[in-house]
Amino acid sequence: MGLLDDLKKEADTLKDQESVRTQSLKANAASVDRALRKTFQYLNELFRQLNVVKPACAQVYVLLTVGKISGFTQIDYRIDYRTSQRDNMEHYENLTVTFKRTKPEQLTVKRDAEHIERFRDLLWQNNLRFTSEPTRNERRVVVSETFLISCDIICGVDVVGDYETGAIRFKLKNVEDFGPSLYTLEPDAVTDQALEELAKLLIGKDSDFRAFNRRPQIVAPTTTGQFARSNAKNAQYVANPVPTPEAEKKTGLFGSFKSVFKKPD
């Protein structure tokens, strides 16, 4: 076999590999787009109902060095999507979800001078709105600061289609607690059951959504150490009792929400 034959064989091998890769990318594109569209349709319908019902949330948040916060109502669910052109066809790229968990009460927290900046950074990190009032000594030096913190927790989810690897990534912020968490699902794993578990997660119910995760859950600590809670101090604020959510009917989340609107016999 001569040089020309060797080169031809190598070229044919490379062409075959490229053909396989192209087919794989097309298959990924179809499955990823299908999973994102399915997720959007489900969540869009879910949020229409949640924005009317405004259910109580059983989720308990732990604010480092402060304690537990609970008793939220959930409002302002919104979802948007972005698309792009792939092979002259429109494909979903990502979905953006935002909502708010809120309560009318405010937290009052006092911090000594050496802890003021770190605590302020913690509040900013978790998107918590606040005002503060410093206390000064006779020399006008700040010795402490009192923070008045709004109990409006801004939550979000970015659902991103990874067209190269054929995966759907759910990037959550302030949903399971303060801070981020990440789930990676195969497109075929985005089933009705998986979306039902995701819905439970978004409204603060017990959820098995992590069972659909193809990789171990990643929970990234913040620079302020939000997730290092083992040494948290006793709470200076006692949260209101958590409202008891109504029992979920066997017909699923949509069935339980739609029953709210059913006229009495």
Side-chain angles (χ1 to χ4, degrees):
M1 184 177 291
L3 176 61
L4 184 59
D5 291 330
D6 290 341
L7 291 174
K8 183 179 179 181
K9 183 178 180 181
E10 183 177 355
D12 288 341
T13 300
L14 291 175
K15 288 179 182 178
D16 290 342
Q17 291 175 349
E18 183 61 26
S19 177
V20 170
R21 182 175 183 276
T22 299
Q23 292 300 320
S24 176
L25 288 176
K26 287 183 177 180
N28 285 347
S31 59
V32 168
D33 178 68
R34 185 167 55 249
L36 287 175
R37 288 175 185 270
K38 182 182 182 70
T39 302
F40 175 81
Q41 291 168 0
Y42 182 94
L43 293 181
N44 190 47
E45 177 62 24
L46 175 71
F47 295 165
R48 289 177 187 273
Q49 299 183 57
L50 287 175
N51 284 331
V52 175
V53 177
K54 297 181 176 62
C57 176
Q59 181 67 45
V60 177
Y61 287 83
V62 180
L63 185 59
L64 187 64
T65 76
V66 175
K68 297 180 179 181
I69 313 173
S70 61
F72 295 99
T73 297
Q74 306 175 88
I75 59 174
D76 295 342
Y77 280 85
R78 300 178 183 179
I79 185 169
D80 199 1
Y81 65 91
R82 184 171 63 88
T83 64
S84 67
Q85 291 292 321
R86 293 176 179 272
D87 296 326
N88 297 320
M89 296 179 61
E90 185 181 53
H91 286 71
Y92 274 48
E93 288 287 333
N94 67 278
L95 315 177
T96 302
V97 171
T98 59
F99 60 98
K100 184 191 297 183
R101 289 172 174 166
T102 184
K103 59 185 300 184
E105 295 84 357
Q106 293 181 314
L107 307 182
T108 301
V109 179
K110 184 177 181 181
R111 287 290 176 263
D112 295 334
E114 62 268 26
H115 300 126
I116 291 175
E117 288 304 318
R118 183 176 176 84
F119 189 69
R120 184 180 286 113
D121 288 342
L122 176 67
L123 299 179
W124 281 335
Q125 185 90 20
N126 295 315
N127 294 328
L128 290 173
R129 295 182 300 170
F130 65 92
T131 58
S132 62
E133 183 68 31
T135 299
R136 304 176 184 272
N137 60 18
E138 64 277 2
R139 292 177 296 175
R140 305 298 299 167
V141 175
V142 174
V143 295
S144 66
E145 192 160 336
T146 301
F147 293 84
L148 191 60
I149 306 167
S150 172
C151 289
D152 289 335
I153 299 178
I154 306 301
C155 308
V157 183
D158 287 328
V159 187
V160 181
D162 187 334
Y163 281 87
E164 289 295 323
T165 62
I168 309 295
R169 308 192 192 283
F170 294 80
K171 304 176 181 179
L172 283 60
K173 179 66 181 294
N174 289 350
V175 175
E176 298 177 277
D177 204 338
F178 289 115
S181 54
L182 172 66
Y183 294 92
T184 301
L185 273 66
E186 302 288 352
D188 290 344
V190 183
T191 60
D192 290 342
Q193 183 181 358
L195 292 174
E196 177 110 348
E197 295 303 322
L198 174 63
K200 291 178 184 178
L201 200 62
L202 298 185
I203 62 177
K205 289 178 173 286
D206 291 336
S207 170
D208 290 327
F209 184 63
R210 61 178 50 85
F212 299 89
N213 193 30
R214 81 176 187 186
R215 297 175 185 175
Q217 184 184 14
I218 299 173
V219 180
T222 65
T223 56
T224 54
Q226 171 62 35
F227 290 93
R229 300 191 186 93
S230 57
N231 296 322
K233 297 179 181 178
N234 293 332
Q236 298 183 15
Y237 167 79
V238 179
N240 289 341
V242 180
T244 302
E246 295 183 359
E248 181 183 343
K249 295 184 179 180
K250 294 183 179 180
T251 52
L253 286 174
F254 282 158
S256 61
F257 289 136
K258 289 178 180 177
S259 66
V260 176
F261 306 106
K262 184 177 180 182
K263 293 183 179 180
D265 295 332

